[in-house]
Amino acid sequence: NAGVTQTPKFQVLKTGQSMTLQCAQDMNHNSMYWYRQDPGMGLRLIYYSASEGTTDKGEVPNGYNVSRLNKREFSLRLESAAPSQTSVYFCASSSRGGANTGELFFGEGSRLTVL
Amino acid sequence: QKEVEQDPGPLSVPEGAIVSLNCTYSNSAFQYFMWYRQYSRKGPELLMYTYSSGNKEDGRFTAQVDKSSKYISLFIRDSQPSDSATYLCAMSRGGFKTIFGAGTRLFVKA
């Protein structure tokens, strides 16, 4: 049972390059999320998808786009990477009830460095 | 001011000690309170979830919420080296935007 799977696990980009982080969950969850984690800042919500076909901005959406491809998959795109986007990115998913109560299931993270 | 404040540590204790981890928050609208554990280079995993004020126990772990003081705690009894991790508090008003603390690093020495 894989849970939440993220790819790639590591990536190094140059400033201005673009890339897409992929996320898939096999728990039949309705809601999916992208967070970034930086030292001293905790986890900050970038975007979320309450259900298939919907996406909404979180706390730090600037410089990112997302696509909810289907119920299982939620991707995060950096169109023109900046050094400030160097971070560890986590995808998460939750059931309907879990979305309300904050019970999230996380992937193992994608470490992105922008030079 | 951050909505959720958490001492980053590190906190170092001997095996078998009782550990107390704490968070304070400023938004009285928070109703759901969580503790996540995160091992190095892994994703967070949910440990405990509490609704409103009160205590909740699960094995060696006890979560406490004091809404009047805007203060939550996680106690770990008989701590083990395998408990060494970063512990994140998290809170939600209901809805999709869970707010996380920055995490406290805990080291349990054998």
Side-chain angles (χ1 to χ4, degrees):
Chain A
N1 192 357
V4 178
T5 304
Q6 293 181 232
T7 55
K9 288 186 168 34
F10 302 93
Q11 185 72 50
V12 179
L13 290 177
K14 293 181 180 178
T15 297
Q17 287 185 319
S18 62
M19 78 158 299
T20 300
L21 300 177
Q22 307 284 357
C23 176
Q25 53 92 9
D26 62 3
M27 294 175 284
N28 200 34
H29 283 164
N30 290 297
S31 304
M32 297 185 74
Y33 312 77
W34 277 105
Y35 282 87
R36 60 179 289 175
Q37 186 174 39
D38 302 290
M41 300 294 292
L43 287 157
R44 291 181 293 167
L45 183 63
I46 304 171
Y47 271 94
Y48 67 96
S49 172
S51 59
E52 186 178 355
T54 70
T55 61
D56 284 285
K57 294 178 180 179
E59 183 184 355
V60 288
N62 291 345
Y64 304 96
N65 287 302
V66 290
S67 295
R68 183 74 182 266
L69 304 170
N70 49 55
K71 189 173 185 179
R72 290 186 63 247
E73 298 174 288
F74 189 39
S75 64
L76 178 72
R77 182 160 178 85
L78 287 69
E79 292 291 352
S80 179
S84 61
Q85 294 179 304
T86 293
S87 188
V88 182
Y89 291 86
F90 287 99
C91 178
S93 70
S94 71
S95 63
R96 285 189 202 278
N100 206 37
T101 60
E103 295 176 89
L104 308 177
F105 292 80
F106 285 88
E108 295 213 332
S110 298
R111 294 181 172 272
L112 175 65
T113 301
V114 183
L115 302 175
Chain B
Q1 183 189 5
K2 293 180 183 178
E3 280 192 282
V4 179
E5 298 279 359
Q6 185 174 10
D7 187 333
L11 180 61
S12 184
V13 301
E15 184 176 357
I18 296 174
V19 175
S20 172
L21 303 166
N22 311 294
C23 285
T24 58
Y25 62 95
S26 57
N27 191 337
S28 58
F30 288 134
Q31 298 184 70
Y32 302 94
F33 303 89
M34 288 72 65
W35 286 95
Y36 284 81
R37 178 175 62 196
Q38 184 175 22
Y39 291 115
S40 181
R41 297 188 174 264
K42 297 291 186 182
E45 56 178 333
L46 182 66
L47 264 182
M48 306 274 293
Y49 144 65
T50 309
Y51 171 68
S52 194
S53 284
N55 293 1
K56 186 172 185 179
E57 189 172 319
D58 184 359
R60 296 184 294 111
F61 299 89
T62 299
Q64 285 187 352
V65 175
D66 182 349
K67 291 190 73 178
S68 63
S69 301
K70 298 188 180 69
Y71 190 88
I72 72 169
S73 300
L74 178 70
F75 297 96
I76 307 174
R77 291 183 298 281
D78 187 24
S79 55
Q80 302 295 312
S82 58
D83 295 327
S84 298
T86 297
Y87 290 80
L88 309 169
C89 63
M91 307 175 188
S92 171
R93 291 171 280 187
F96 297 91
K97 298 182 180 179
T98 300
I99 307 298
F100 286 81
T104 299
R105 293 191 70 187
L106 171 67
F107 295 97
V108 181
K109 299 173 292 185

